[in-house]
Amino acid sequence: MAINKLSLAKMIDHTLLKAASTREDIVRLCDEGKRFGFASVVVNPTYVSLASRLMKGTGVKVCTVVGFPLGANTPEVKAYEAWNCLMNGAEELDMVMNIGALKSGNLDLVKRDIEGVVRVAKPRHVVTKVILETCYLSREEKVNACRVVLESGADFVKTSTGFGPQGVTLEDVKLLKDLVANKIGIKASGGIRTYYEALSMIEAGATRLGSSSGVQILAEASE
């Protein structure tokens, strides 16, 4: 499978979510976002306003995270966080589902949790991606999670936060592809650092990639 550099860039969410990220780090991230034409830059909520100002008019979206990285906030808190991020200029939301609720079999809570964010995002034409944190889930739990995401009206299912004990695997991407078919997007994230890894995820079914190594991936794509 061949994919040109420009097309690949448009599939990458260029990400910086480290706790110690500084203003200067975010400015650098946004500069790279503009220079390489990534799909989005992904920053923590505290930097959404800054990123929104820096990316205005570039065509590169500002994405942020909700309930990150544990997903253990209440639905009301996640909905408010989503709204606050949108008011500050976010154009895409990557929310962490309630992992503990899913593993407890409380699918109603998982659904209500996602729907609260989707209800804030949809009227504003903002994309919602739901992070499953697949490393914690059994196959049956992944099946249940994807069903709930589809029922909730979200736009993407996403594999990982990058903060769990394991990131994305090809097997998980292939499974998610089977489970959601072409109904919604699939974002692979967590440990994608090379062009080969990026290509492998796309071949497995990913329609978006999350990575803090986007510049390196594109450099390898040019070689």
Side-chain angles (χ1 to χ4, degrees), residues 48-61:
V48 167
S49 292
L50 171 62
S52 181
R53 291 195 300 273
L54 293 172
M55 303 312 293
K56 186 175 182 180
T58 65
V60 178
K61 292 185 176 181

Side-chain angles (χ1 to χ4, degrees), residues 20-81:
S21 300
T22 65
R23 187 185 190 282
E24 289 71 24
D25 293 330
I26 301 304
V27 170
R28 187 180 310 112
L29 181 86
C30 290
D31 179 61
E32 291 168 348
K34 286 183 267 190
R35 195 149 34 101
F36 293 98
F38 292 113
S40 76
V41 291
V42 188
V43 299
N44 280 309
T46 191
Y47 286 123
V48 167
S49 292
L50 171 62
S52 181
R53 291 195 300 273
L54 293 172
M55 303 312 293
K56 186 175 182 180
T58 65
V60 178
K61 292 185 176 181
V62 174
C63 177
T64 192
V65 288
V66 174
F68 193 87
L70 302 179
N73 297 340
T74 64
E76 294 79 10
V77 169
K78 286 184 185 175
Y80 175 76
E81 184 176 25

Side-chain angles (χ1 to χ4, degrees), residues 112-182:
R112 182 160 58 89
D113 191 55
I114 299 169
E115 285 178 336
V117 173
V118 170
R119 199 174 298 119
V120 171
K122 280 285 186 195
R124 297 170 174 84
H125 308 290
V126 168
V127 166
T128 303
K129 312 186 200 97
V130 181
I131 305 171
L132 307 186
E133 201 71 294
T134 49
C135 62
Y136 291 123
L137 307 181
S138 67
R139 189 185 191 284
E140 181 182 0
E141 288 166 344
K142 292 167 191 173
V143 170
N144 288 336
C146 285
R147 186 178 75 249
V148 172
V149 171
L150 287 169
E151 292 173 353
S152 302
D155 303 289
F156 276 78
V157 64
K158 177 179 170 182
T159 58
S160 318
T161 62
F163 286 72
Q166 183 180 353
V168 65
T169 67
L170 282 174
E171 291 71 24
D172 277 337
V173 174
K174 290 174 182 176
L175 176 61
L176 297 186
K177 174 68 173 175
D178 289 340
L179 294 174
V180 306
N182 294 314

